[in-house]
Amino acid sequence: VDTNNTVTTLVDNLDGSFTYTSENGTPVQFQASTITDNGDGTSTIGLADGGTITVDNDGVDNVDDADNNPNNEIQIIESTDGSVTVNQSGINYNLSVPTANGSETIVEAAPDTDISVTGTGTSANPYLIANTRPDIFYPPSIAVDVATTGTGRTIDLHSEYMIQYGTPVVISSGAPAAIPTYANNELYYYVTYFDPTVFANVSVDNVGVMTYDVIASPTDYNTLINVVFVAQ
């Protein structure tokens, strides 16, 4: 029997770790773990505290820290408006999406005004500001021949309006050469009055062509047809 060997010890610390004491009396503590190849491209690491981590065998995966706190893992942050605020606190970064705080620009029409505001102010649905009061105006004066009677006569009111607004006879200094106009399908047409002793069967269609009969010549060489245009 050889009695010159020094006894070494291996003690289970009952917490997943072991303490090895060598011949010279120096203790060394270490953790016990296992790695099991699952045969499907992944491996399971058995931790000393009884937990496990499953990872891909390519060695590039990020894994959680095997605790029950989901707030310190790698997270997917989604933003509905495309903006994310990142604030550093020590070694941590706090991500937040800004919400309305009262400093945003809000567009709205004052009550009892002729302005309307639609839209939400986003790029997909921008604010649209419009004038709700229609543009109402008289067309330019037009000479109507009533020297003789006749039926089914016509005047293209819109065409006459385009000619006179497009080529004004006199223009003030600095004014554009032509007056802005509407297309014939952008207007409503109204006859507000005509002399019933001279005209009959007066009508106007949806593109501004007025039809009328001349039933008599005016006795004083003056007569009236009043027409009003309204922008749609």
Side-chain angles (χ1 to χ4, degrees), residues 34 36 43-44 58 65-66 92 103 105 107 116 118 120 132 136 139 149 181 185-186 195-196 216 224 227:
T34 61
T36 303
S43 293
T44 298
D58 57 13
D65 55 8
N92 299 315
S103 64
T105 299
V107 179
S116 70
T118 58
T120 59
T132 58
I136 303 172
T149 60
T181 56
N185 61 352
E186 294 178 324
D195 185 345
L224 292 174
V227 178

Side-chain angles (χ1 to χ4, degrees), residues 3-74:
T3 61
N4 294 321
N5 289 333
T6 302
V7 177
T8 61
T9 61
L10 180 64
V11 178
D12 186 348
N13 298 321
L14 302 179
D15 62 357
S17 68
F18 293 84
T19 299
Y20 168 72
T21 303
S22 64
E23 290 89 342
N24 61 10
T26 302
V28 177
Q29 184 172 320
F30 63 92
Q31 298 291 120
S33 63
T34 61
I35 299 178
T36 303
D37 190 336
N38 298 318
D40 59 358
T42 66
S43 293
T44 298
I45 301 173
L47 303 178
D49 62 1
T52 61
I53 299 175
T54 300
V55 298
D56 287 344
N57 292 337
D58 57 13
V60 296
D61 289 284
N62 293 309
V63 298
D64 64 27
D65 55 8
D67 62 21
N68 294 321
N69 182 3
N71 296 321
N72 60 4
E73 319 295 348
I74 296 175

Side-chain angles (χ1 to χ4, degrees), residues 75-100:
Q75 310 261 339
I76 296 176
I77 306 298
E78 295 183 355
S79 171
T80 58
D81 64 358
S83 64
V84 175
T85 300
V86 181
N87 297 316
Q88 184 176 3
S89 176
I91 63 172
N92 299 315
Y93 288 86
N94 299 318
L95 304 182
S96 63
V97 176
T99 57

Side-chain angles (χ1 to χ4, degrees), residues 135-139 157-158 161 187-190 227-231:
D135 189 2
I136 303 172
F137 59 99
Y138 289 103
L157 300 173
H158 183 268
Y161 146 75
L187 294 168
Y188 295 122
Y189 304 91
Y190 298 86
V227 178
V228 173
F229 289 177
V230 177

